[in-house]
Amino acid sequence: MNAIVACEKSERVTEALRKLGVNAYSCDRKPSEINGYIYHYQCDMRDLNYTGIDLLIAHPDCTYLALSGARWWKGRETEQAEAIE
Protein backbone atom coordinates (compact mmCIF):
# COMPACT_ATOMS: atom_id res chain seq x y z
CA MET A 1 0.00 0.00 0.00
CA ASN A 2 1.22 3.52 -0.85
CA ALA A 3 0.20 6.45 1.34
CA ILE A 4 0.68 10.20 1.60
CA VAL A 5 0.23 11.95 4.93
CA ALA A 6 -0.36 15.59 4.03
CA CYS A 7 0.05 18.56 6.35
CA GLU A 8 2.43 16.61 8.57
CA LYS A 9 5.84 17.90 9.54
CA SER A 10 6.20 15.80 12.72
CA GLU A 11 6.33 12.47 10.81
CA ARG A 12 4.53 10.61 13.60
CA VAL A 13 1.72 9.24 11.44
CA THR A 14 4.09 8.52 8.56
CA GLU A 15 6.45 6.60 10.82
CA ALA A 16 3.57 4.60 12.37
CA LEU A 17 2.37 3.60 8.89
CA ARG A 18 5.89 2.64 7.81
CA LYS A 19 6.20 0.38 10.89
CA LEU A 20 3.06 -1.39 9.67
CA GLY A 21 4.66 -2.01 6.28
CA VAL A 22 2.97 0.84 4.39
CA ASN A 23 5.08 2.72 1.85
CA ALA A 24 4.24 6.10 3.44
CA TYR A 25 5.51 9.60 2.70
CA SER A 26 4.70 12.88 4.38
CA CYS A 27 4.10 16.25 2.78
CA ASP A 28 4.02 19.73 4.28
CA ARG A 29 4.93 23.25 3.22
CA LYS A 30 7.25 23.32 6.23
CA PRO A 31 10.39 21.22 6.58
CA SER A 32 10.28 17.95 8.46
CA GLU A 33 10.90 18.10 12.19
CA ILE A 34 13.25 15.14 11.68
CA ASN A 35 16.49 16.48 10.21
CA GLY A 36 17.27 14.91 6.85
CA TYR A 37 14.09 12.87 6.74
CA ILE A 38 14.02 11.13 3.35
CA TYR A 39 10.29 10.33 3.26
CA HIS A 40 9.15 13.97 3.38
CA TYR A 41 8.07 16.19 0.49
CA GLN A 42 8.35 19.87 1.33
CA CYS A 43 5.74 21.35 -0.97
CA ASP A 44 2.08 22.18 -1.35
CA MET A 45 0.13 18.91 -1.25
CA ARG A 46 -1.83 20.03 -4.33
CA ASP A 47 1.38 19.82 -6.36
CA LEU A 48 1.92 16.08 -5.80
CA ASN A 49 1.09 13.37 -8.30
CA TYR A 50 -1.26 10.92 -6.60
CA THR A 51 -1.07 8.21 -9.25
CA GLY A 52 -0.59 4.90 -7.44
CA ILE A 53 -1.51 6.31 -4.03
CA ASP A 54 -3.93 4.08 -2.13
CA LEU A 55 -4.41 6.23 0.96
CA LEU A 56 -4.35 9.99 1.61
CA ILE A 57 -4.48 11.33 5.15
CA ALA A 58 -4.67 15.11 5.43
CA HIS A 59 -4.94 17.08 8.64
CA PRO A 60 -4.36 20.78 7.99
CA ASP A 61 -3.63 23.15 10.85
CA CYS A 62 -7.07 24.05 12.22
CA THR A 63 -6.11 27.26 14.07
CA TYR A 64 -8.14 29.43 11.69
CA LEU A 65 -10.46 26.72 10.34
CA ALA A 66 -12.15 25.02 13.29
CA LEU A 67 -15.41 26.52 14.49
CA SER A 68 -14.33 25.89 18.08
CA GLY A 69 -11.90 28.82 17.79
CA ALA A 70 -14.25 31.20 15.98
CA ARG A 71 -14.42 33.65 18.89
CA TRP A 72 -10.74 34.52 18.30
CA TRP A 73 -11.04 35.12 14.55
CA LYS A 74 -11.98 38.82 14.73
CA GLY A 75 -9.09 40.84 13.35
CA ARG A 76 -7.47 37.76 11.83
CA GLU A 77 -9.36 37.66 8.55
CA THR A 78 -6.12 37.58 6.54
CA GLU A 79 -4.81 34.53 8.42
CA GLN A 80 -8.16 32.79 8.04
CA ALA A 81 -8.28 33.47 4.29
CA GLU A 82 -4.75 32.04 3.94
CA ALA A 83 -5.72 28.94 5.91
CA ILE A 84 -8.77 28.39 3.71
CA GLU A 85 -6.63 28.80 0.59
Side-chain angles (χ1 to χ4, degrees):
M1 176 183 281
N2 297 310
I4 297 283
V5 183
C7 310
E8 184 195 40
K9 62 181 181 169
S10 71
E11 315 308 330
R12 288 189 177 116
V13 175
T14 303
E15 279 298 306
L17 289 171
R18 291 189 82 73
K19 286 179 182 177
L20 294 172
V22 176
N23 187 26
Y25 292 85
S26 64
C27 173
D28 197 288
R29 290 181 178 181
K30 298 176 183 178
S32 169
E33 291 180 354
I34 300 174
N35 191 20
Y37 195 69
I38 60 173
Y39 303 112
H40 182 74
Y41 297 113
Q42 186 178 341
C43 64
D44 188 314
M45 66 177 280
R46 295 172 291 185
D47 296 334
L48 292 178
N49 179 349
Y50 291 94
T51 303
I53 298 299
D54 305 301
L55 173 69
L56 170 64
I57 299 172
H59 41 84
D61 185 358
C62 62
T63 302
Y64 300 107
L65 300 175
L67 189 56
S68 60
R71 63 181 159 175
W72 291 287
W73 289 347
K74 186 174 182 179
R76 297 184 173 179
E77 290 81 8
T78 301
E79 291 91 339
Q80 187 181 27
E82 290 173 356
I84 291 169
E85 174 61 29

